[in-house]
Amino acid sequence: MEKDANSELKCAVCQSRETLKRCTRCKEAVYCCRQHQIQDWPLHKATCTPNRIGETKQKVEISNSKDTCEQTENIPKVCDKQSDNVTEFDSRPFREIKFNKPESYDVRSLAGFVMHYLNKNNFCVVDGVFPNKILERALNEIKSLNSDGCLKLGRLSGGRTSGQDALKMTKTEIRNDMIHWAEGTEPRHPNINKVVKKMDSVLSTLNDLFQGKYLINDRTKAMIACYPGNGSFYRRHVDNPNCDGRVITCIAYLNKEWNAKEDGGILRIFSAHDESCFVDVSPDFNRMLFFWSDQRNPHEVQPAFRTRYAVTAWFFDKTERERAKEESKLQDISVTKNEVVSLDIKTIETEKTQLEQKIEQEARKAISSLSHEELQALADLVRGHVDPKIVLSQMGISASIQTYLLKELERF
């Protein structure tokens, strides 16, 4: 019954279940009153995307609850027009694929399975790697981080090695997921740490299979990501377009009973050479995805209409990472040199201006010490000369005040 279907609805601000209305734009957020909708708008606007799933998608799920709300006129509307620098989502329908499973899940066999499909397809999907209980606990840990406000809007990478915070940008027209970075050793989330440790063990075992082409010796922090429904997304991109050292992207999904046709949120991987070729990866519970991080795998996270959770880490090739760091360092040195040169020029100009002001002050002081009769006599002496400064010099008057003196003598 309708009442039962909506029994879990709660106001996003006060958790009230009374007089609930749905945002008419995204068909997601639930509020008990106009004031709470206005109060929540600064946070909600980042993910308030029009529900484009179609007429069959009238009820969508966020944080495992169904919700209904009506947008008020006083809340700012977000423009539907996309920025010129973003790529529209691929509109072809979801294509379901049945992925092969490894014969064994021990680390060496799993690494061999991953290596085989990386070489064959540039990506590898593996289901059932973890005991379900570990992932269920990891999921609860992510939800706890989210409820405590630890997850923040994702930003685009900063600089040559993605490590310059000053260059990181928040662009919600490109991505509007919520993320938290973790080393994978924090006491607060031991089960997330187990997920990251499994990634580490598989990727370090791949070194035996690379035949010298790569040497994985490090990784980024793990990115704990939540796409909070509302059509949240990450537009088409390449993880490592500039040879920053990341060689393999590894993702673990933690989304129970995910229905890709209804809930969206698929990761669509495109062929770098043939636009007609693509593969869809539904973010199913207990699924891992491995793919080359470079130009071989452009991909996008299509709009998600349920809360979608994942843990991602990027693994570095030693040689490429060291080269990227060195090039970044050289670039920083070049920028610093240019800044120093600009600063030196500015300093010189400032000192020159200050000196000129001091000379002018001294000149005016010297001129003011002359009587009217003395100034009249000087004016008579220089009048008619082709170069009056020669006359002033012959009289022993300093060159530093001659210009100011001649201006004064023009009055006589």
Side-chain angles (χ1 to χ4, degrees):
M1 295 177 64
E2 185 65 24
K3 183 177 180 180
D4 293 335
N6 292 328
S7 62
E8 296 300 318
L9 295 179
K10 295 179 183 178
C11 173
V13 175
C14 69
Q15 307 301 308
S16 171
R17 299 177 187 273
E18 302 297 328
T19 64
L20 298 178
K21 294 182 180 179
R22 180 193 297 271
C23 172
T24 57
R25 187 171 191 274
C26 67
K27 304 294 190 294
E28 289 285 342
V30 170
Y31 303 98
C32 66
C33 62
R34 175 176 171 273
Q35 288 75 17
H36 282 180
Q37 189 175 20
I38 294 172
Q39 179 181 336
D40 192 49
W41 176 247
L43 177 63
H44 178 54
K45 68 180 178 180
T47 54
C48 186
T49 304
N51 188 345
R52 305 181 188 276
I53 202 70
E55 293 299 322
T56 60
K57 183 65 176 175
Q58 291 299 316
K59 295 177 183 177
V60 292
E61 190 169 328
I62 177 169
S63 299
N64 298 322
S65 66
K66 299 190 170 44
D67 33 38
T68 54
C69 175
E70 187 175 16
Q71 183 172 2
T72 62
E73 294 180 358
N74 286 357
I75 294 182
K77 290 181 171 60
V78 180
C79 180
D80 289 344
K81 184 180 182 299
Q82 295 296 340
S83 174
D84 292 337
N85 63 343
V86 300
T87 304
E88 293 296 330
F89 291 111
D90 189 271
S91 60
R92 288 171 287 187
F94 170 67
R95 186 165 63 193
E96 189 169 2
I97 298 176
K98 186 175 182 180
F99 298 103
N100 294 329
K101 292 187 177 182
E103 295 181 359
S104 170
Y105 287 97
D106 69 84
V107 174
R108 185 160 293 278
S109 297
L110 185 56
F113 181 84
V114 170
M115 189 77 263
H116 172 75
Y117 282 100
L118 282 174
N119 288 333
K120 181 179 179 181
N121 299 326
N122 290 333
F123 69 90
C124 178
V125 175
V126 191
D127 291 319
V129 174
F130 301 95
N132 284 345
K133 286 186 177 181
I134 289 179
L135 284 194
E136 288 169 358
R137 292 167 185 162
L139 179 57
N140 288 333
E141 291 168 358
I142 297 176
K143 290 180 178 179
S144 176
L145 289 168
N146 194 20
S147 64
D148 288 348
C150 297
L151 275 63
K152 308 296 182 184
L153 270 173
R155 295 186 293 170
L156 303 182
S157 63
R160 178 73 167 79
T161 60
S162 303
Q164 294 173 269
D165 288 342
L167 298 179
K168 292 181 179 180
M169 299 173 289
T170 299
K171 289 193 174 182
T172 54
E173 71 272 23
I174 295 177
R175 67 180 296 185
N176 50 25
D177 53 337
M178 307 292 289
I179 67 171
H180 175 72
W181 295 99
E183 294 285 357
T185 57
E186 293 84 347
R188 175 169 182 173
H189 41 70
N191 293 282
I192 294 175
N193 297 345
K194 290 178 182 178
V195 173
V196 177
K197 185 177 180 181
K198 188 69 170 183
M199 294 177 174
D200 290 342
S201 63
V202 173
L203 270 296
S204 62
T205 306
L206 284 181
N207 282 328
D208 298 334
L209 307 174
F210 282 137
Q211 298 180 341
K213 186 174 182 180
Y214 301 109
L215 176 60
I216 293 175
N217 68 333
D218 199 2
R219 60 164 168 80
T220 64
K221 290 183 178 180
M223 185 183 76
I224 300 166
C226 167
Y227 288 79
N230 306 324
S232 45
F233 56 80
Y234 195 150
R235 294 186 182 275
R236 190 185 305 196
H237 64 284
V238 172
D239 286 351
N240 176 17
N242 300 314
C243 298
D244 65 16
R246 291 178 291 174
V247 62
I248 291 180
T249 303
C250 180
I251 309 174
Y253 294 113
L254 303 94
N255 307 292
K256 289 188 171 183
E257 300 178 359
W258 193 268
N259 184 332
K261 292 181 180 179
E262 291 286 319
D263 302 325
I266 61 171
L267 189 143
R268 176 162 287 178
I269 304 175
F270 301 91
S271 167
H273 308 291
D274 186 353
E275 185 67 21
S276 66
C277 295
F278 66 91
V279 62
D280 289 336
V281 181
S282 176
D284 298 346
F285 186 77
N286 209 346
R287 166 168 285 179
M288 291 188 78
L289 170 63
F290 303 80
F291 58 89
W292 302 115
S293 303
D294 58 22
Q295 301 281 1
R296 284 172 281 189
N297 286 304
H299 58 282
E300 65 187 19
V301 177
Q302 297 196 345
F305 296 94
R306 265 182 61 196
T307 309
R308 176 189 186 275
Y309 298 102
V311 177
T312 305
W314 290 266
F315 290 81
F316 294 121
D317 169 58
K318 182 176 183 291
T319 301
E320 184 178 306
R321 185 62 174 173
E322 289 177 351
R323 185 187 303 116
K325 285 183 177 181
E326 186 62 29
E327 291 176 359
S328 179
K329 189 183 300 182
L330 292 174
Q331 185 177 16
D332 289 344
I333 291 172
S334 177
V335 169
T336 302
K337 284 182 177 178
N338 290 337
E339 290 176 348
V340 169
V341 170
S342 298
L343 183 61
D344 286 345
I345 292 174
K346 186 176 181 180
T347 301
I348 291 170
E349 290 176 347
T350 300
E351 291 177 348
K352 180 182 177 183
T353 301
Q354 291 174 345
L355 182 59
E356 288 173 346
Q357 290 174 347
K358 185 175 181 180
I359 291 172
E360 183 177 356
Q361 290 173 359
E362 293 297 324
R364 293 191 182 282
K365 184 178 178 180
I367 294 169
S368 65
S369 67
L370 297 174
S371 67
H372 182 82
E373 291 75 13
E374 289 173 326
L375 290 172
Q376 182 65 62
L378 286 172
D380 293 339
L381 284 172
V382 300
R383 187 176 293 114
H385 281 268
V386 177
D387 189 353
K389 289 185 177 182
I390 294 176
V391 178
L392 297 178
S393 296
Q394 291 173 346
M395 296 178 65
I397 297 175
S398 172
S400 62
I401 70 170
Q402 289 178 6
T403 299
Y404 304 102
L405 180 57
L406 288 172
K407 286 183 179 180
E408 185 68 21
L409 296 179
E410 289 175 357
R411 298 168 51 195
F412 292 89

